[in-house]
Amino acid sequence: MIKKILYLLLFVNIQISLFSQNAPQPSHYKPINVSGLVVDQNTNNGLPGAHVSFISQRDSSNVYRTATDTQGHYKIDLPRGSYKIVTTFLGYNPQESIVKVNQQSTDIPTIKLQFTDAMLDEFVVAEKAPTVQQKNDTLQYNAIAFKTNPDASAEDLVKKMPGISVDGSGIKAQGEDVQKVLVDGQEFFGDDASIALKNLPAEMIEQVQVFDKLSDQAQLTGFNDGQTTKTINIVTRSDKRSGQFGKIYGGYGDKQQYQAGINTNIFHNKQRISILGMANNVNQQNFSSEDLSGFMGGSSRGGGMRGGSGPRGGGSFGRNDFMINQQNGINTTHSIGLNYTDVWYNKVNVNSSYFFNSSKNVSEQFTDRQYFISNEATQMYLDSSSSNSKNFNHRFNARIEYKINDNNTVIFSPRLSYQNTHSNSLSNASSFLAEEVLLNQSITDYERLWDGYNMSGNLVYRLKINDKGRSLSSSISVNANNNEYLYFLDASNSYFQDNTLVNELIDQKSNTLSDNASYQGNLSYTEPLGKNGLLQLSYNLSLSDNASDRMTNSFDIISQSYIIAEDDLSGLISNGYLTNRGSLGYRLRNEKYNFNADLSYQDASLTANQSTPYVYKVERSFKSILPRLHFTYNFSKTKNLRLVYRTYTNAPSASQLQDVVDNTNPLLLSSGNPDLNQTYSHFLMSRFSLGNPANNTSFLLFLMATLSDDYIGSSVFIAPKDT
């Protein structure tokens, strides 16, 4: 009985509920159509997208919102009642009013908003930036993820980035030497990789990108020609690309040490001017490989001879004699530089720089070396030396890219440098047997003077035939350098001959003139092949001519001048290297991978003619197959694998072929080798990149290997008796 009563009550309740749902509503619950217009107070033009909010006066939690259409009109259905209308629009003062809605339809009076000059308060949406991101072939670091001091430089910033190192030997990224640093894709002081990092403030950097920059012609054709340059591109913050900023600093301490400098940047969108200056004697240096004026050759110190004075003669010079990156010793440096970047008429992209450097160096060095001649015999070599040098160099670089129209582009890159160096050194070297038995000793005084210039130019032209990839491009490169090297040697040598101590004095003058020139031309044609493929045919012609003329004379006491000819220590040689290379390449790429391969056949000829100290002629030809492969596979946006394989050849220089004795150090004599062949090298590189933005971690794995046939190196020979 009770269950029946409960079922009956439940049934009645459901029926009442159903009836109440269908019952007619009172008139005050029916929505009323409300419409209106929002306009600019000054122009009476409608404001599209303005926000109109109706807030109930009875219950402020009931808010009804709408927005105006393209003409500034709005419509909304509202219950009867009194409302506060709040109207807002970006850049205008908000407006409030009260309205009553109590009829079937209500037209709201036109709302007129007043434009305001007031700026909105700044707001920041903060999110932790990923440390490293892999984007195709570019590794990108976010600067905000690395903490630096307020006055930190770009160099301080990149030192904290995994895979990048900066030390006295230069800048390395992904295990390779960085040869160029760009700022927003533009060159900054030419190929000087260190100057941008040392002088740009870290606070203006948004991102640091590391990639292999293609040659100008390869960038136009899209084909990797193997002439890549490890490059860092500094992406500046958008709010730092216009305006003036920089710093002036100076200091003076005990021992008369000082440091001063200026760094001024004037940025106005695409026009950028940077002025750098530095003066100090605390070992801060600004040197690059361009400051070498193309000097070539090889010279080393140290070693030892079994006995005998050996031949006498002049010396040679090499890149090691010049100041590259951080130089040992105490350095005084004065330098100034100017960099200019701009875009003219929206077609001509101009980048140029000038750099002057003056430096003084004072150093002391001690060498302790042991030679293992056999299982039982060893020889010790000790050398204590001091030196000082003065160096002046001027350097100018420019790059002009002219986009004539959508189908024609021309790029011209001139370079010019000049250097003058004067140095002196004093050395005391000795050779001993294991029992500290003196073999020989040499006290030498050197005075060296260099003077030379290097100039080059590269011209690239590209014709875009259609949008599918068909193009024709050509490039011409010319390089010339002339160097004069004057060398004075004053040495006192002591050695044993037939168990008798012999003393010998050397007073010589050696003058070396070298002229080097190279010419290169390249012609390439690309043709689309399939949907994502591209075929390239190219031909390259290269010629280099080198000459070295060394004249060595000894001092004549009677005439008090250097007139005694040392024919065995003088030499005149010229050599040439001509290559003809034809290539066939294929490129295939999509979102997942990028495959680039080509095969070249090269016919090269090497000639050398030496007239003194004896007549010698070299004629050799080399036929080589040069494959090249670049492959990148993107597993995902955060995982990437890259493989690079390339082959290349290198011909010996005139000084390496010149069979003339160099007695820069009388205890270590050296000479060239006329029997040298060209070097054929294989290079293999693999890089795996894995990033996890969620954990802000990254993993980079690099594997590199180089194998060279007929490698040109140095061989040490210790004579068992007088030679």
Side-chain angles (χ1 to χ4, degrees), residues 455-467:
M455 57 183 181
S456 64
N458 183 52
L459 180 65
V460 178
Y461 169 73
R462 185 213 182 195
L463 171 63
K464 180 182 177 182
I465 301 176
N466 61 28
D467 294 333

Side-chain angles (χ1 to χ4, degrees), residues 217-231:
Q217 187 172 8
Q219 291 182 61
L220 294 176
T221 62
F223 258 93
N224 191 332
D225 57 6
Q227 300 179 27
T228 59
T229 303
K230 183 62 68 176
T231 302

